[in-house]
Amino acid sequence: MSIPVPFKSKYVGQSVKRVEDPVLLTGRARHIDDLEFPGMLHVAFLRSPHAHAKIISFDVSAASALPGVECVLTGAELKEETRPLNTMPGIASGWSGYAMAADKVRYAGEAVAAVAATSRYIAEDAAELIQVEYEILDAVVDPEQAALPESALVYENQESNVLFERNYTYGEPDRAMKEADLVVRENYRFPRVSGNPLETVGVIARWDSVADELTCWTNTQSPGGSIRGSFVNPPGRDQITAQPHGGSFGTKMGALLKYEITAALLSRLCDGRHVKYIEDRMEHLLASSTHAWDRRYEAEFGFTSDGRCTVMKVRLLNDVGSSCENSAPSMCWKPLVMLTGPYKVQHFEYDMAAVVTNKTPEGAYRGYGVPPHTLVIERLMDKAAVALGMDAAEIRQHNFIQPDEFPYKTPTGTEYDSGDYPAVLQLALEKANYEGLKAEQQRRRDEGRLVGLSVVFGIEPGGVWAMTGPFRDWLGGMGAINPESAAISISAEGTFDVELFYALEGQGQPTFATQIIADYFGVTMESVRVSQSDARNPAPSMGPAGSRQAVVLTFALIGAADKLAARLIRVASNLLQTPADQLEIADGSVQLKGGQGPTLPLGQIAATMTFRPDLLPDEIEGNPQVTYTWRANRPVDTEGSPYLSYANACHVALVEVDRATGQTSIERYVIADDCGTRLNPAMVEGQVQGGVAQGIGATLFEEYVYDEYGQPQSVTFADYLMPSIYEVPMTEKHAFVTPSPLTALGVKGTGEGAIHVTPAAIFCAVNDALAPLGVELEHANAKPERVWQLIQQAANI
Amino acid sequence: MNVQSDLDSRQVTVTVNGKQESLEVEGRTTLADMLRQEFHTQGVRVGCEHGVCGSCTILFDGEPMRACLLLAVQADGHEIKTIESMADGNKLHEIQEAFSEKHGLQCGFCTAGIILSVSELLERCPEPTDEQIYEILGGHLCRCTGYQQILQSVRLAADMLLEK
């Protein structure tokens, strides 16, 4: 594979070991719960046992009297000091509560009071002593019922529970549907799931009202922001910093806000002492604002008799839970950037609505809404294939955007950058021995066994650079750029120090940053150190999200390296009395282009800048450090794509469903994927395999279940089943590389690709397994009890 | 309810990573909290506090155990090893080296517990079958890797220790 790199590539493209591993392997990384400060207080929350209830009164006297308790704060008191959680512009305004419930609770587990005490043990004791009187209200649980006019209201300031309704129509879907030779339709449900990183969400706040500043140490994915706007009397300045995370997957963004606000207020009330709150696992499962994709779909696709898909209609009902306290409901919009998947379809109707209910608020999760949409597309492609007597692979090949059609403009205005879908599919089929698998399936079906085979395809929007295009509607017509920065300095010894503006998260950004900078300057990886900036005023950064870091950080790193290189060459030009345009950087030195003549080690140039600035040209800063902030040079308009790269993948799965138990076992799992240039193939494989595991979790095990009263039934890892090594197949992964023409080095984002495609692969395979019984699963979570019930139904037909 | 009655302190003598110490702990203090807060072995990662995820696994007299499910007082007179005991200064243990070589970690939060469980396995069983490795890894949740590179890391660790 050739990498389109502007430098000699020794490390880029290699599966080098990760530079961040030693601190992680020895337990020395400092996570948020590892930070200790003198006199630090610990928070425990009292949480509502009811899904929907008015708060009549609080009695905190016993809690306040407990030795070791420094402060008790009720939701009613917090409300006086803060603003509603959602302070963003846009359509979600007016649809959130406060950091704690003040007048009424809207989900079971919502915090109603907080205690700060000298230990977490005492804080929890005290929380139990708080008395709250409730008047229980009818819980709004079912999203379809929630939309009805007679439903109880989650927000009395609103006319209904319908948060938004939108219709996006492209082409003439009604006419196309009428003209279709074949129409397939189905209703689907996707389970409420979440990222569930092994480390929960946490914060330490210190609000010193004398110094007039607030500092929050957190494990947020996007440090550097501000929460000043959340307070009636805000601090003069605030700083949000981030520690290394024990996994995130989108959960460590908006979910932090309610805890930051509460811990900050408690700190202010306790004379600026440090105040720590770490969710325990039950709190995370019960009440962290991270639940995602509780969705119902009605979908209808039209085809010609020869298997060409001409029209897609998808109607989405999204249950956002009780609050729009973060931007998560914008996950409904993301499918607009890949609405037709890898297929050429000109007529599309995407009709979406979201309702609030008395459940835990929605939060971002890896994939940001694309996985359920991909599942709907892929399952209906399968249904059409069956109806037309075509093979699953054949119908996809028949509808693919072709390699010579890139850049391909989708009906919504998105431009897919590059790809070769037929080749990726072909690679997967070959490696899987697809024909052999089909024969094997038939042989076992003949024995009466339930064996399913799926071939599915998905698109991964990556490198999110702006909240533009479809997201502007969510933001009330506004757009926002999501820049990324990197800083580089060089020492007199010729070593490089690279700073990133977010915390260690696990995907390996420090490693590929080391690879890129070492190659750029022609030095060893050992000469490059990457760390997180501790700048008081950090350069702009969005951090990891939207499969973006391979794309945006690569841009930022190369931009910073170019800036530093130009400065070093300018100084060298002066020292060597040689025009700058005749010089280049190679092997850690400045040399004459072509390699002839004297060389000047980069460290020596840095030493000159630091110790002999009198030798510098006047216009050159004597500072061997640069910061570069990258932004895409594209218009922020209502058209266009918020994503730069479109990776793609084909998954082939062979499963068997046990007739007696309804349990699905995955026997073979083959992946071919194209994420452009692979900076570090082993890290890409890790991202893919991790996404597969989460996709399998969502479709076979994980689900947040609520009863008819809105009581959560999945509040431990014994109820919310995370896949273990026994449940996750060892997949066979194959790379296909089409470098992106729009990104530095040809990379495409790859953090989310596998979770986009895996739910579809499992769902389609399970349905294929059940096909001989004449039953079909509509709920995307194919847990044994659900499948078993279907098998019983079939037996009774 | 008389909260004070739960707070009785006890004297505990425990050996952590080869160093014996005596200290007073409340009866209800979990072993995980004592290790993290009193011994500052913060590599003991607390993931679920109900014994499912395995992140807080330590070696208790050589046996892998969940530090979140034990009380500190139960460690009285016992020997505990945490991840901090594995490397020799900045020289990684072979198991740690193998995890780095095979990309057996991403965020690293579950890794300490896994490495300790694996160290016990490889001591007891230097040439483990995949089935034996699965049995050990089956007691640990990892949300990042999907386990494949962990499995490869454990296989490599076994090879490295055999060659040692």
Side-chain angles (χ1 to χ4, degrees), chain A residues 330-345:
Chain A
S330 70
M331 291 194 284
C332 291
W333 273 267
K334 183 170 175 184
L336 282 164
V337 306
M338 44 69 68
L339 208 50
T340 62
Y343 309 116
K344 258 187 298 187
V345 181

Side-chain angles (χ1 to χ4, degrees), chain A residues 184-266:
Chain A
V184 288
R185 60 173 68 87
E186 196 53 81
N187 296 341
Y188 296 111
R189 280 196 64 179
F190 203 85
R192 174 175 276 253
V193 292
S194 78
N196 255 301
L198 263 289
E199 179 208 38
T200 59
V201 171
V203 58
I204 299 170
R206 179 168 192 257
W207 186 341
D208 183 339
S209 53
V210 177
D212 199 20
E213 63 184 14
L214 164 64
T215 304
C216 291
W217 294 261
T218 72
N219 50 12
T220 181
Q221 291 172 235
S222 298
S226 169
I227 59 166
R228 289 182 71 248
S230 299
F231 300 101
V232 174
N233 297 300
R237 65 182 298 174
D238 69 337
Q239 187 183 19
I240 312 289
T241 71
Q243 295 300 119
H245 313 180
S248 313
F249 319 112
T251 62
K252 288 171 180 164
M253 302 178 85
L256 274 149
L257 183 61
K258 59 189 181 187
Y259 299 139
E260 289 166 344
I261 291 171
T262 309
L265 259 190
L266 284 166

Side-chain angles (χ1 to χ4, degrees), chain A residues 176-184 301-311 383-391 394-395 398-399:
Chain A
M177 200 65 80
K178 266 192 211 121
E179 291 171 3
D181 299 323
L182 168 75
V183 174
V184 288
F301 289 10
F303 290 80
T304 60
S305 57
D306 65 349
R308 202 163 49 79
C309 183
T310 51
V311 52
K383 277 179 83 91
V386 169
L388 293 165
M390 290 174 83
D391 181 85
E394 187 191 354
I395 197 167
H398 205 56
N399 283 286

Side-chain angles (χ1 to χ4, degrees), chain A residues 677-697:
Chain A
T677 302
R678 290 164 184 247
L679 299 172
N680 183 319
M683 297 198 318
V684 172
E685 286 177 22
Q687 288 303 307
V688 171
Q689 182 71 15
V692 167
Q694 288 177 321
I696 284 169

Side-chain angles (χ1 to χ4, degrees), chain A residues 53-58 74-80 97-106 110-112 132:
Chain A
K54 265 189 197 153
I55 298 174
I56 306 299
S57 66
F58 291 96
T74 66
E77 291 163 340
L78 175 132
K79 186 184 173 185
E80 298 299 311
Y98 292 79
M100 295 196 287
D103 311 314
K104 78 167 191 173
V105 293
R106 295 189 174 87
E110 184 170 14
V112 295
V132 181

Side-chain angles (χ1 to χ4, degrees), chain A residues 49-210:
Chain A
H50 308 297
H52 198 193
K54 265 189 197 153
I55 298 174
I56 306 299
S57 66
F58 291 96
D59 178 357
V60 302
S61 51
S64 300
L66 192 73
V69 171
E70 291 292 323
C71 183
V72 180
L73 179 68
T74 66
E77 291 163 340
L78 175 132
K79 186 184 173 185
E80 298 299 311
E81 298 287 339
T82 59
R83 303 194 191 286
L85 287 168
N86 194 324
T87 54
M88 292 185 309
I91 60 176
S93 184
W95 290 91
S96 75
Y98 292 79
M100 295 196 287
D103 311 314
K104 78 167 191 173
V105 293
R106 295 189 174 87
Y107 60 102
E110 184 170 14
V112 295
V115 178
T118 50
S119 82
R120 177 70 174 253
Y121 289 79
I122 294 173
E124 290 189 12
D125 288 342
E128 283 182 19
L129 297 174
I130 299 170
Q131 303 290 324
V132 181
E133 193 185 337
Y134 296 98
E135 180 189 322
I136 297 172
L137 302 171
D138 287 340
V140 181
V141 181
D142 181 274
E144 279 161 33
Q145 306 268 318
L148 300 176
E150 63 267 27
S151 173
L153 289 177
V154 178
Y155 289 88
E156 280 77 15
N157 57 317
Q158 303 288 354
E159 286 169 8
S160 77
N161 294 316
V162 180
L163 171 64
F164 56 75
E165 287 174 297
R166 286 289 186 281
N167 181 286
Y168 295 91
T169 299
Y170 307 93
E172 297 176 76
D174 288 333
R175 182 182 59 80
M177 200 65 80
K178 266 192 211 121
E179 291 171 3
D181 299 323
L182 168 75
V183 174
V184 288
R185 60 173 68 87
E186 196 53 81
N187 296 341
Y188 296 111
R189 280 196 64 179
F190 203 85
R192 174 175 276 253
V193 292
S194 78
N196 255 301
L198 263 289
E199 179 208 38
T200 59
V201 171
V203 58
I204 299 170
R206 179 168 192 257
W207 186 341
D208 183 339
S209 53
V210 177

Side-chain angles (χ1 to χ4, degrees), chain A residues 17 34 121 689 733, chain B residues 33 45 97 106 143 148:
Chain A
K17 290 198 282 187
D34 300 336
Y121 289 79
Q689 182 71 15
K733 304 176 196 72
Chain B
D33 281 351
R45 304 286 179 210
E97 195 55 60
Q106 288 180 30
R143 194 56 159 170
Q148 193 157 16

